[in-house]
Structure formats: C-alpha cells, structure tokens
Amino acid sequence: MATRIRPSSKRCAVIGGSGFLGRHLVEKLLDRGYSVAVFDIRQSYEVPGVTFHQGDLCDQQALLPALKDVSLVFHCASPAPASDDRALFERVNIQGTQTVIKACIEARVQKLVLTSSASVVFEGTDIKNGREDLPYAKKPIDYYTQTKIVQEKLVLEACDKQKGFLTVAIRPHGIFGPRDPQLVPILVDTARRGKMKFIIGDGSNLVDFTFVENVVHGHILAAEHLRTDSPICGKPYHITNDEPIRFWDFMSEVLVGLGYAAPRYHLPYALVYGLALLLWLLSLILRPLVSFKPTFTPMRVALAGTHHYYSCERAKEDMGYKPVVSLKEGIERTVKSYPHLRHGA
Ligand SMILES: NC(=O)C1=CN([C@@H]2O[C@H](COP(=O)(O)OP(=O)(O)OC[C@H]3O[C@@H](n4cnc5c(N)ncnc54)[C@H](OP(=O)(O)O)[C@@H]3O)[C@@H](O)[C@H]2O)C=CC1
Ligand SMILES: CC(C)=CCC[C@@H](C)[C@H]1CC[C@H]2C3=C(CC[C@]12C)[C@@]1(C)CCC(=O)C[C@@H]1CC3
C-alpha cells in the first residue's frame, strides 16, 4: 500500500499568488521558511522556492496537484472589482470557492485562510470603527461585494474541528502598496485626465487604507494561530492599519507625492452620487450599442464620500496583531515604487 506523506506545516499553497496581495504574501512566506505552491490563472513572475500551477480555481482537478502534501492554503484569488461582471464574480467567488473547499478536503489540507473584505458589511452609508459582529450588508454596493459575502459564509461554515479542517477569514480594507494594480493606477489615470480636482462631500470622512505588508502579516498570524483550541476558528477578522485617515487626505498625499495637484473644490455628495447612478444606468442601457466605463461609479462615489473604518481589536486580542508598517511609511514606500506614474514621466 502506498504511504501518504504527512503534509509539512511549512508547506503551503497560495491561490491567487500571482496577484498584488498574493505575491506579497508569497514573498513573506518564503522569508519565513515556507515552501510555496502558487495556483493562479496567470503566472506573473518566477522565484526560487515557488512552484507554479496555472489554472482556473473552478476546476477541482486542476487545483489538486497544487494542494498535494500541503497543510495550509491561502485563498486570495478574485476577479477585479472594476470588472463589474456579475456572472464572473458568481462563478469564481461562489462556485469557485466551493470547489476550493472540496479540493482542500480531498487533499486533506488542514487549514484554509480566506482573503475576504471589510466591505461585506458596507451598504454605502457610514461605518465608524465597525466590529466584526456587524451584520452582512443586506444591500451590498456591487456584485463583487455580494459574492464576497457568500464566499466568506461558505468558508467559515466549512470549519470543522472534528474533521480537522480549520478555516478563518481575513477582512482587509483599501489595500495599497508597491505593485497595486488598482488604487494608485486608477487615481493617477483620473488625475491625468483632469478629473481629480474635486472633493466629494465636505472631505471629513475617515477611511481605512491598509499597507499591503500589514495585510500579509495578518494572514500569516491567522494561519499560525489556527489550531483546534484557538478562538479564531470559523471567524472573520478585520486587518487594518489602525490609523483611519480622511479619504481625501490620503488621495492628496499620494497625488502630491507623485507630483500631481491635490483636489481642492467641493461638490455635494448627493449630487455626485446621483450623477454616478445615472451614468451607470446609461452605460447598462447602452451596453449593446456602445461600451463605456464611467470613472466615478456609484460604488467609488460611496467609498469616496462616506466614513468606512473598522476596528481590528479582535485581531489584536485573539492573534496578537499589530500593524508592522505605519501609514506614513506605507505611503512613502508606495509613492517611491511608482516612478513611471510620476507627473511628467
Ligand atoms: N485590493 C484591495 O483593496 C482589497 C482586496 N481584497 C481581496 O484580496 C484578494 C486579493 O486582491 P488583489 O491582490 O487586490 O487582487 P489581484 O487581482 O491583484 O489578485 C487576484 C489574483 O487572482 C487571480 N484569479 C482571478 N480569477 C481566478 C481564477 N478563476 N482562478 C485562479 N486565479 C484567478 C487573478 O488573475 P487575473 O488578474 O488574471 O484576474 C489575480 O492574479 C481578493 O480576494 C480581493 O477580494 C479585499 C479587500 C480589499
Ligand atoms: C474617487 C476616485 C476615482 C478614487 C480613486 C481611488 C479608487 C480607485 C479606490 C479608493 C478606495 C478603493 C477601494 C477599493 C478599490 C479601489 C478604490 C475604489 C476596493 C473596492 C477594492 C476591493 C475591496 O474589497 C474593497 C476596496 C475598498 C476601497
């Protein structure tokens, strides 16, 4: 009879390991002596110590080789929120996550750490110091968020101490840092098109922006604390920089750091939100004839004009979380990492 090799606790897989967060996670895992298998729909880099498995996470047979002899899996793959493609979100975030769970169980993986999102409780209205016991959004702001809610529930409900399959969900918010493909590039593109002159609302709304290395730190702490006797089993955890900042101050610091002017003129929130909604509806109606993607979608306007910051006390108490990089240093390192996006470059 063939003997099964006992999975090593230092052997893990990162689903979505070619993406922004995934790659930072892989780099830190390697530093900490893990050997890593990456599973992703694309391969974006090559590093010693990492084996790449290219495939769609909705395909269980494609996933299994990446999970062989692995005891710990991080699932941080998702279609980009900006794709606004309902069918794709449902296929990847819901059916795909069910497939990931089944594949983990079949491969006898012991721990699954999901990258969820703090937005699972956000409905477009103020959240101040939100804790994890807030109810899931009844009216999520977009299809992405709607499917992240179902995904998180699936993973947390799959936690089964008797069967030795432990799960936890990390809820980051507004991740930024070197190689981020959305926040800074979209911001700079909007500024280059002359559309970053306006502040939506009075500009006093506080938001969490979380440096990517803190998000990575939260994931690794969760993985290392995930044991049968731990309070973290089957629970969600906010991971933030613990330094809420005015949304428009953060945008201004990044813009000014890259040589662009900070937004100055105020516009009423209700007016901009109404216009964004109108444009979004128009883009849906006209989709068969012309395709255009408005920059200021209702989702972005809601994120830009409301308070949404979260308490990470639970992560501090249950897993000793503390941000490892301050917001100031995170912004400086991020700005430096984008020489090609500087004004005039
Ligand atoms: N960025 C943020 O501010 C926040 C992100 N999150 C969550 O963090 C996670 C990581 O996000 P981020 O790093 O920003 O995203 P990225 O898009 O950079 O990374 C996601 C990776 O998953 C891949 N992927 C997408 N679909 C599949 C599939 N069907 N099979 C296998 N791989 C797939 C992507 O490939 P491709 O690029 O080709 O699609 C990409 O390489 C996501 O779960 C996201 O929901 C949560 C809160 C905030
Ligand atoms: C108003 C404007 C054009 C701002 C440019 C920056 C935005 C692109 C980002 C500001 C807040 C960001 C954010 C996300 C994506 C990028 C922003 C809208 C998420 C939706 C990414 C996925 C999540 O899970 C939640 C994030 C909230 C914050």
Side-chain angles (χ1 to χ4, degrees), residues 15-23 39-42 44 55-58 75-81 88 91-93 114-119 144 148 151 170-176 179-183 215 219:
I15 303 174
S18 287
F20 164 49
L21 171 65
R23 184 170 171 186
F39 184 90
D40 202 295
I41 206 147
R42 63 187 167 95
S44 61
D56 186 336
L57 63 83
C58 302
H75 173 13
C76 56
S78 166
L88 181 68
R91 193 179 73 80
V92 178
N93 288 349
L114 171 73
T115 315
S116 178
S117 168
S119 293
Y144 162 80
K148 291 295 283 185
Q151 176 192 53
I170 297 300
R171 292 179 177 174
H173 196 55
I175 313 176
F176 73 101
R179 301 194 297 255
D180 151 45
Q182 49 175 0
L183 200 156
V215 180
H219 279 71

Side-chain angles (χ1 to χ4, degrees), residues 20 24 175-181 184 210-212 330 333-334 337-338:
F20 164 49
H24 281 276
I175 313 176
F176 73 101
R179 301 194 297 255
D180 151 45
V184 176
T210 314
F211 189 62
V212 64
R333 283 169 57 184
T334 303
S337 75
Y338 286 101

Side-chain angles (χ1 to χ4, degrees), residues 259-271:
Y260 300 88
R264 296 170 49 189
Y265 310 106
H266 290 263
L267 285 176
Y269 176 76
L271 173 79

